[in-house]
Amino acid sequence: MREPTIKRTSQKYMQIIYPDTPITEPSDLYLAGPTPRDPDVLSWRIEALDILNQNHFPGIVCVPERESWKDYNYIDQVEWEYKGLQKALKIIFWVPRDLKTLPGLTTNVEFGYWLALRPHNVYYGRPINAPKTRYLDWLYQKHTGHQPKDTLQSLLMEALI
């Protein structure tokens, strides 16, 4: 069994804020979407951080994942996430939905809430084969006039423009 779900890495160009760090200023990006709770499921945020680093992204990125999900306070976690989403200049929703390992139930609620509240700050994508994303696609198009991206790379590049 692999532990933790996301390892802290030292990134050359960006600052990463994790849930055990207080949010004191706005972040440039918040990486929203399904979070693995099983240590055997690899986090999509590892690839996202790699893409950002390879593109020399100089900003602050909020990553709502812990090194371990064994001992944490649920209310502290959701309060941190809410504050991070409130302060984020851009919210990146990547939904690589897998109904068994990454169902994204909380993501659905967050996506609808933040898209309705701040559609100009939300960027959305999902793999072409991600199940149960048709409504998210429609809602995103309705509120932004944009098509969802179908690769994590293209989603992040759109947000960085």
Side-chain angles (χ1 to χ4, degrees):
M1 185 180 288
R2 188 180 61 75
E3 178 71 30
T5 56
I6 192 164
K7 279 202 182 284
R8 294 184 186 217
T9 58
S10 91
Q11 300 294 328
K12 195 171 180 180
Y13 301 102
M14 68 187 134
Q15 178 185 357
I16 304 170
I17 306 296
Y18 293 97
D20 59 351
T21 304
I23 296 172
T24 59
E25 61 186 296
S27 66
D28 297 289
L29 302 176
Y30 184 103
L31 299 181
T35 297
R37 295 297 195 272
D38 181 333
D40 292 328
V41 176
L42 190 63
S43 172
W44 61 269
R45 290 181 180 96
I46 295 167
E47 180 184 355
L49 293 172
D50 285 345
I51 291 167
L52 292 169
N53 199 44
Q54 289 166 11
N55 284 279
H56 312 291
F57 180 67
I60 299 170
V61 181
C62 276
V63 175
E65 290 192 38
R66 298 176 167 277
E67 286 191 79
S68 173
W69 291 97
K70 289 182 181 168
D71 295 313
Y72 78 101
N73 180 288
Y74 176 79
I75 297 300
D76 290 346
Q77 177 72 26
V78 296
E79 288 286 349
W80 184 92
E81 290 181 20
Y82 186 78
K83 186 173 185 179
L85 287 159
Q86 277 184 312
K87 287 185 167 255
L89 300 177
K90 295 180 180 180
I91 303 170
I92 311 300
F93 278 96
W94 178 246
V95 186
R97 191 182 315 277
D98 179 299
L99 297 176
K100 289 185 181 183
T101 60
L102 289 173
L105 301 179
T106 301
T107 296
N108 289 343
V109 175
E110 286 177 335
F111 178 78
Y113 179 83
W114 293 104
L115 184 63
L117 195 64
R118 294 177 24 207
H120 56 284
N121 297 105
V122 171
Y123 296 79
Y124 162 69
R126 78 293 181 264
I128 292 172
N129 61 349
K132 309 287 186 187
T133 57
R134 200 164 115 183
Y135 185 74
L136 299 180
D137 292 356
W138 174 83
L139 197 62
Y140 184 68
Q141 291 168 16
K142 181 88 171 161
H143 282 267
T144 68
H146 298 289
Q147 295 291 322
K149 297 299 183 188
D150 59 15
T151 68
L152 184 54
Q153 172 88 27
S154 64
L155 175 62
L156 292 168
M157 292 303 99
E158 179 182 60
L160 295 183
I161 293 175

